[in-house]
Amino acid sequence: MDINKYMHVLKNAGDLTTLYDTLLKSKEYNSEKIYICAGGGCIASGSMKVKEAFVSQLANAKLDGTLEIMETGCLGPCAIGPVVVIGKDDTFYQKVRAQDVKEIVEQHLIGGKIVDNLLHPVDEQKVSKKSELPFFKNQDKQVLRNCGKINPTKIADYIACGGYKALSKVLTSMSSEQVVQEVTVSGLRGRGGAGFPTGTKWNFARKSQDTEKYILCNADEGDPGAFMDRSILEGDPHSIIEGMAIGAFAIGSSTGYVYVRAEYPLAIERLQIAIDQALEFGLIGKDILGTGFNFDLEIRKGSGAFVCGEETALITSIEGNRGEPRPRPPFPAEKGLWNKPTVLNNVETFSNIPLLINNGGAQFAEIGTEKSKGTKIFALAGTVKISGLVEVPVGTPLRKLVYDIGGGISTNKKYKAAQIGGPSGGCIPEEHLDVPLDYESLNILGAIMGSGGLIVMDESSCMVDVARFFLEFVQDESCGKCVPCREGTARMKQIVDRICEGKGEMKDIDELEKLASTVTNASLCGLGQTAPNPVLSTLRHFREEYIEHIRDKKCRTAVCKELIVFEILDLCNGCQACKKVCPVEAIHGEKKQAHIINTELCIRCGLCLSTCKFDAIVKY
Amino acid sequence: MAKVEKCSCGNDDDGLLERLEEIIISFKEKPGALIPVLQATQSLFGFIPQEAILKISEILNEPLSKVYGVITFYSFFSLKPRGKYLIRVCLGTACYVQGANEILTALKQQLSIEIGETSPDKLFTLDVGRCFGACGLAPIIMVNDDVHQWVKPSDVKKIISTYKKQKEKNKEEAI
């Protein structure tokens, strides 16, 4: 929608309602739309070229006056992007290339016949409607309500979807106590990982008598495998701004910061546009909607330190220091940014707030389990057919996510585990596929909900290597301030390295468990306290793999380099490609005769395997 | 520490320090200004030269040791000039389990450099990243701000040559 046409400072709540009504009656709002995903994933897959093609093809067909192209935030199924949805009949097209657009316009938009070969196949059937595809049908999009429906760079789109109504309601008809009460009733728990009740956190800060308070949004989404915050920032940034403004009102703050990681340039760009527009419309800034409430919001960019996702480290970083955590207590709600009471919530948490205010806390609490309310967004990735972003009620079984929504395993191998919760989380084996995804059930299995990264692994993943991967990660990202985390994770990594190299001893497993408990109990912040989780969880569910590495010197998945053997099969035709590429001259053989690898010399770099065009080299 | 003789992008450093000074002054009154200033410096020069550190320390009235401490804490900041193209291999979980390590090996071999190093022609710097949030497209590598998805070790050669050609093309256009 053309925002300039509607741009004016909203002086009171009535202005917002009038604008909303005007927008609903506008030609732009009611025109037929073509939704093109402009999420990070689809842009990388070329969705902007698709958009350009639509612009020129619609102009050629003289349809540019009647059809509107909407660049939306992430629709979810990143793996089959770029995706396009035709608004009038809800047709969902996958893997659209610029050269396909002519056909869509001519055959579908003009001729009324759906382009079959761009539909997503489901059990060999072609399903055309987005709402009937299992990937969408099995989800419950609450927080992602606007992602894929609105243009994130246009505030008018957000307002036309009922945006800023919650803020208006809060500012004109609620006390700060009532807002906190509503959040408490909703049962919303922090979506950043630990699941602390948001209402309780807000109440601590609200009660403080200090006149200077801060509200911070943690958008330093560092967990590898998590990209839900990125998608909200890119797809519906106003929901975060609105949630933060409501939070600021509830605790009595007038200044907020969003701490976004530097790795997300597009998210930063779109959030800044949203902040500027909200300011122009008078929805943040001074005397919001004429109520006398002020709220300034600023972006602070991260600089590539994982530990800054920890709340006290994030605060220290905004203050302009090395991002090292501080001991708690005092908790940030008491002494946070510049030693003032501070509330820090995650992106997804804030995005839930307008929803909860509009519908009421009690209705919000109807979704989810007894102790965990609402929905949760998961970033589904790894060896699953449709990887992408999905939102389901808290407590949905893992199986539903992997099979019904994700379409099952993408390779011809079997499911082995799902890693959930990133470097603080754990692995869920096949026998627990029916675990409900809620805070408590996952804790029992030694995993955590975390921020919602969910990596599915098939049988080709070595679980000892996965543990090593996470140890390397936390070792690398440990800030070094406290000894248990800095040295403990290093020692644990040494041991796991040894096991992966076939030099482990049985007593190493006990040693690992002992060290893990020290690191957990003695570390200063959440990074260290949860760093041993991936090791403990793989030891618990996949102990036999550790034992195989130690006792049999064998990695059943042929992942651990030192334990694998490369062999050239008889079908080798002697093309010499492998011989040429081998960096240590371990491959011998005459031209046009089968070659042989000298395993003593071989450094197992795998270059021969990736070079061979005849599948004549195997590793085991 | 590297001296500012030439900016890593090949442009002359003429005026860059003056511009930096303006930037530092514009941030001076902001609370917690040091990190935004360093970020501006990094994008201005492509790295953080010694002269810039001295200037930042002086104008913001922060001890040199603190400025240096902050720079070395965050991986985004570099004290050495980087190549024209910064290649970052994602080593996040989704990429890792789908073969990111093999891509890294192939890149090291193709460019004959290790992680953190820059190729002798100053074209490429190799680095690793911890998840760029494009897990649905894993494994990925980023070259500056471009995402390359579903990369196989055998694709590496082609990707590198695309950027080499781009550089040559830019040169021709400049002439």
Side-chain angles (χ1 to χ4, degrees), chain A residues 71 97 172 212 270 347 357 365 389 395 398 430 455-456 602:
Chain A
E71 282 173 56
R97 294 161 305 166
T172 53
E212 202 182 325
R270 290 199 181 151
V347 169
I357 296 290
L389 210 62
L398 174 60
E430 199 184 0
I455 313 281
V456 178
C602 174

Side-chain angles (χ1 to χ4, degrees), chain A residues 44-45 78-79 224-225 227 230 261 298 300-304 317 319-323 338 381 387 465 469 473 476, chain B residues 30-32 34-35 39 66 69 73-77 91-94 96 98 109 130-133 135-137 149-150:
Chain A
S45 303
C78 309
F227 53 95
R230 170 188 170 153
R261 68 197 292 243
E298 198 184 302
R300 283 294 166 100
K301 273 197 311 184
S303 302
S317 177
E319 289 169 350
N321 303 306
R322 291 165 67 92
W338 291 298
S387 49
D465 184 61
F469 164 77
F473 182 93
D476 201 35
Chain B
K30 258 188 184 191
L34 179 56
I35 291 175
Q39 286 166 341
K66 184 185 168 187
F73 185 83
Y74 297 99
S75 65
F76 184 74
F77 303 129
L91 288 184
T93 327
Y96 184 81
Q98 286 180 97
Q109 215 226 353
R130 296 294 189 186
C131 196
F132 301 125
C135 315
L137 313 171
Q149 67 263 46
W150 292 306

Side-chain angles (χ1 to χ4, degrees), chain A residues 34 36 45-47 49-58 80-84 86 92-110 113-119:
Chain A
I34 295 167
I36 300 174
S45 303
S47 70
K49 282 190 186 139
V50 174
K51 187 213 142 191
E52 282 160 26
F54 264 107
V55 171
S56 66
Q57 289 295 336
L58 289 182
I80 53 174
V83 298
V84 172
I86 306 297
F92 177 87
Y93 288 129
Q94 67 163 9
K95 297 182 187 168
V96 180
R97 294 161 305 166
Q99 59 263 44
D100 298 324
V101 173
K102 194 165 184 255
E103 201 180 356
I104 297 178
V105 173
E106 288 175 0
Q107 188 183 314
H108 185 173
L109 300 179
I110 300 173
K113 198 170 166 290
I114 288 167
V115 184
D116 275 350
N117 59 356
L118 293 173
L119 295 178

Side-chain angles (χ1 to χ4, degrees), chain A residues 259 303-309 313-314 316-317 321-325 476-481 527, chain B residues 35 38 65-79:
Chain A
Y259 190 92
S303 302
F306 174 72
V307 69
C308 289
L314 188 151
T316 319
S317 177
N321 303 306
R322 291 165 67 92
E324 288 173 351
D476 201 35
E477 295 294 346
S478 169
C479 77
K481 184 173 178 174
L527 192 158
Chain B
I35 291 175
L38 288 173
S65 58
K66 184 185 168 187
V67 181
Y68 187 77
V70 170
I71 294 171
T72 51
F73 185 83
Y74 297 99
S75 65
F76 184 74
F77 303 129
S78 168
L79 290 163

